Amino acid sequence: MVSEAAVTTALQALALTAAGVPAAAGGPAAAVALALDRFPPVGAAVHPVRSPFAWEGLAVAAGTEVLAAPGWLRSATDPAGGTGPAPLPGGGPSPLCGSPTGCAAAAVAVRVAEAVVRFFTEDAEGARPALLAPALAPDRMPLTLAPHTLLLAFPTPGSPAAAPPARADTPASYAAPARAAADRLDRHARSLAACAADAGWNGNETGERFRMRLLEHADRCIRAASDVREAARRLAD
């Protein structure tokens, strides 16, 4: 869950922030909460009912298995993304682990995602990420936002490669920060691969699965770096 939040949810939150989505403008916590609400890693979960209850006039008996899909309920009842139906007793399932009330690991994962967003939006001396692709309209969110489709430029304040605001005068002004972002992705991929190569992961099945996950992330970073460089080339032309 921590890995998912750091690699996927944090990027989605940064994209929503860079796109100027009002609900993400309240800071890292608001941006992460919006990303989890709109693009939950666990979109639905089945929960057995322990005690009978009534919900919006419907009697639900104990032992009934309830499929809870908050995103579907929201879009089905209110396409504009408003309040939607009344919440189930005890709250909805965690978008990270599916638990009906959340869990300690999910709470840590959310904090990690918030820390990543905070680093790039508040701790970077005023420099903010620029969303190169896809084009997002603040008032019309897509149903999915896969991390491999996101192209974000992370500028270095005070350097010649510092990125202008999202409303830059020309597309070419994004080329230099995009190239710098590709270099950082390459370095991150090498770090992930080096971590995966550590002999400490080879002791058990869990370690092997995590090692493979690290390698998968490294591969995605390499492919993303290639895409960003291609975007930078096109922007510079």
Side-chain angles (χ1 to χ4, degrees):
M1 282 187 288
V2 172
S3 176
E4 181 74 28
V7 174
T8 300
T9 301
L11 279 176
Q12 293 167 338
L14 285 167
L16 295 174
T17 301
V21 178
V32 170
L34 179 62
L36 288 173
D37 179 57
R38 288 290 172 178
F39 317 111
V42 179
V46 174
H47 304 286
V49 175
R50 295 183 179 180
S51 302
F53 66 92
W55 180 58
E56 296 193 343
L58 175 68
V60 181
T64 303
E65 290 190 338
V66 176
L67 175 65
W72 181 86
L73 286 173
R74 181 187 61 243
S75 61
T77 57
D78 187 355
T83 304
L88 290 168
S94 165
L96 277 167
C97 66
S99 167
T101 58
C103 63
V108 171
V110 170
R111 296 295 181 268
V112 169
E114 291 174 357
V116 173
V117 175
R118 183 174 297 106
F119 175 81
F120 287 110
T121 58
E122 295 183 359
D123 299 341
E125 300 177 12
R128 301 181 67 84
L131 180 63
L132 305 181
L136 296 181
D139 58 346
R140 191 173 184 179
M141 289 291 97
L143 295 177
T144 60
L145 192 61
H148 70 271
T149 67
L150 296 174
L151 293 181
L152 286 161
F154 299 103
T156 301
S159 72
R167 302 180 186 83
D169 294 334
T170 64
S173 60
Y174 289 100
R179 286 191 293 269
D183 291 340
R184 283 192 292 273
L185 282 167
D186 276 335
R187 291 195 296 271
H188 187 53
R190 290 194 294 270
S191 296
L192 288 170
C195 182
D198 190 287
W201 299 113
N202 300 330
N204 53 52
E205 183 179 349
T206 300
E208 180 62 18
R209 285 200 305 269
F210 197 81
R211 188 180 73 83
M212 294 306 297
R213 187 70 180 271
L214 289 172
L215 290 174
E216 290 171 3
H217 290 334
D219 181 65
R220 279 196 287 270
C221 286
I222 292 172
R223 287 187 280 113
S226 176
D227 291 341
V228 171
R229 284 197 177 88
E230 176 61 20
R233 185 187 66 78
R234 292 177 179 274
L235 288 167
D237 288 345

